[in-house]
Amino acid sequence: MENVLTKTRKELLEDLPLGIKQLFTSITHLKEGEKVLVITDENKKEIGEFVYKYAKEFFETTMMVMPTREGHGAEPTEAVRAAMNNCDVAFGATTYSMYHSKARLDASKNGRLRWVGLQDYALHMFEKGGLTADFDEVKEVIDRVSEYYQGNTFKLTAPGGTNMVCSVKGRKPVFDYGTSREPGSASFPPNAEVALGPVEGTANGVLVFDGSIPHPLLNLLDEPVICKVENGFITEITGGREADILRKILADFNDPTVYNIAELGLGLNKENYLCGHMAPDEGSLGNIHIGIGKNLNFGGHVDSPLHLDLVIKDVTVVIDDCSLMKDGELLV
């Protein structure tokens, strides 16, 4: 934390909730004089106000409240879009993720913004779990794994019945270190992952989601949701009540792109655990999340109105002839 805050402010930080302190220091390296924007919505005002309460004591901070959007990747209001281009760090304390929105992408490309997604947060996440991690250590793990997380053929299996193969030829790893320290960077702490975008049209097999589906209507799963995958798209969803909910969520978009297999995201933060919230679930070590819908951030060309992640537990991952993980245990 050297050269990030004055000594007096460092001392004051010791009284903050651990997760809040991490947001201001090791995650963003916020400095005196920088402008902070807290974006929230009607459903997550408690989280937005919690972050704002502490941020305003240290930094020039503005909070904006907008109507809750319709899903992950949806665009914010025009006023929020404009504000994102006039701040140093933005905390997105919203119901749905803005990471894949054009507004966030454009603001990050402008070169100033450091984006921190706090979507689907709960207050307990500021006290325990993934936000307590050593994020320098997390970065070392991600960098090590990423060397192996690329190739031609990706094979995914899991004890729950998952068995899918796809091509990742020409696709490069995408990282989320859980930190946004440099201008233009974006993260979703305490998520920490390395991800690949499957080549469109190549995924085939069965995906059995038995961890969670981070969505307000679903979250931790009581029973598996089974998805048949053909030529890059989910073609059939079976299971119980939760499968019915997912089927309706996707059908309501009336857009075939929402069924696209978009992302293979391997969680690598050992302090995370499945708790029904997006960041810790997606970044939990030993599990993988399959993103469906929009894949523009992963080297693809599918611009869908949705990007939704679904978690599979205790996975085995083989790329070409390299076994990276077996039954949730990291091998590289």
Side-chain angles (χ1 to χ4, degrees):
M1 294 189 294
E2 290 299 322
N3 300 320
V4 178
L5 297 169
T6 66
K7 182 178 180 180
T8 301
R9 292 193 172 191
K10 285 181 185 178
E11 291 171 348
L12 290 172
L13 278 170
E14 296 305 315
D15 295 328
L16 298 182
L18 178 57
I20 289 289
K21 183 168 68 173
Q22 289 275 68
L23 289 179
F24 296 165
T25 57
S26 63
I27 289 173
T28 59
H29 285 186
L30 265 163
K31 301 175 181 65
E32 291 184 64
E34 290 196 301
K35 295 181 179 179
V36 172
L37 174 66
V38 179
I39 305 166
T40 190
D41 59 39
E42 295 164 329
N43 292 337
K44 286 294 179 180
K45 282 180 66 177
E46 180 183 44
I47 303 300
E49 290 171 349
F50 187 74
V51 176
Y52 173 76
K53 177 176 72 172
Y54 295 107
K56 68 182 176 64
E57 297 300 320
F58 297 93
F59 313 102
E60 180 183 332
T61 305
T62 301
M63 186 173 78
M64 301 183 73
V65 183
M66 65 179 180
T68 303
R69 313 326 272 170
E70 64 272 18
H72 300 302
E75 298 300 321
T77 63
E78 284 302 313
V80 168
R81 177 193 294 270
M84 288 166 64
N85 286 285
N86 191 34
C87 68
D88 298 292
V89 171
F91 295 107
T94 52
T95 303
Y96 295 104
S97 171
M98 294 170 58
Y99 179 83
H100 296 278
S101 69
K102 188 174 185 299
R104 200 286 302 172
L105 291 168
D106 289 346
S108 294
K109 287 176 183 176
N110 288 341
R112 176 183 177 186
L113 175 69
R114 310 202 296 280
W115 173 262
V116 182
L118 306 181
Q119 62 270 19
D120 191 34
Y121 256 51
L123 289 176
H124 69 78
M125 292 168 57
F126 293 100
E127 298 288 353
K128 61 181 181 179
L131 279 181
T132 70
D134 180 333
F135 283 92
D136 291 328
E137 180 182 303
V138 168
K139 182 180 185 301
E140 291 177 3
V141 173
I142 291 175
D143 286 342
R144 184 179 75 245
V145 174
S146 67
E147 294 181 21
Y148 304 93
Y149 206 68
Q150 52 192 306
N152 294 313
T153 303
F154 188 106
K155 184 173 182 181
L156 175 68
T157 57
T162 288
N163 192 335
M164 188 191 76
V165 177
C166 65
S167 171
V168 291
K169 186 176 181 179
R171 298 291 166 89
K172 297 300 181 182
V174 176
F175 316 115
D176 184 350
Y177 293 120
T179 59
S180 297
R181 299 171 177 175
E182 303 296 330
S185 60
S187 64
F188 179 25
N191 181 41
E193 66 175 273
V194 58
L196 279 174
V199 176
E200 291 84 349
T202 65
N204 286 281
V206 177
L207 296 170
V208 181
F209 300 106
D210 54 2
S212 73
I213 300 177
H215 186 282
L217 298 178
L218 290 164
N219 294 316
L220 288 178
L221 297 174
D222 293 324
E223 54 187 325
V225 175
I226 304 163
C227 295
K228 183 178 181 181
V229 178
E230 296 179 296
N231 300 323
F233 289 87
I234 292 174
T235 57
E236 184 180 8
I237 302 172
T238 57
R241 180 186 64 86
E242 290 152 320
D244 294 338
I245 293 172
L246 177 63
R247 195 181 305 111
K248 185 178 188 306
I249 289 170
L250 300 182
D252 284 349
F253 280 93
N254 195 30
D255 187 327
T257 64
V258 302
Y259 299 95
N260 175 58
I261 303 300
E263 175 194 3
L264 307 159
L266 194 65
L268 293 172
N269 183 341
K270 63 183 177 61
E271 301 300 331
N272 280 325
Y273 58 92
L274 292 177
C275 62
H277 292 277
M278 186 183 296
D281 286 8
E282 293 183 13
S284 53
L285 181 64
N287 305 327
I288 199 169
H289 56 273
I290 305 297
I292 59 174
K294 185 183 294 187
N295 68 359
L296 301 182
N297 285 323
F298 306 103
H301 54 71
V302 177
D303 189 4
S304 176
L306 173 74
H307 183 90
L308 178 65
D309 294 314
L310 309 92
V311 180
I312 302 170
K313 297 189 295 187
D314 302 326
V315 296
T316 295
V317 175
V318 179
I319 300 180
D320 298 334
D321 295 324
C322 178
S323 296
L324 287 83
M325 181 172 284
K326 182 174 176 58
D327 295 332
E329 181 180 351
L330 194 59
L331 302 179
V332 297

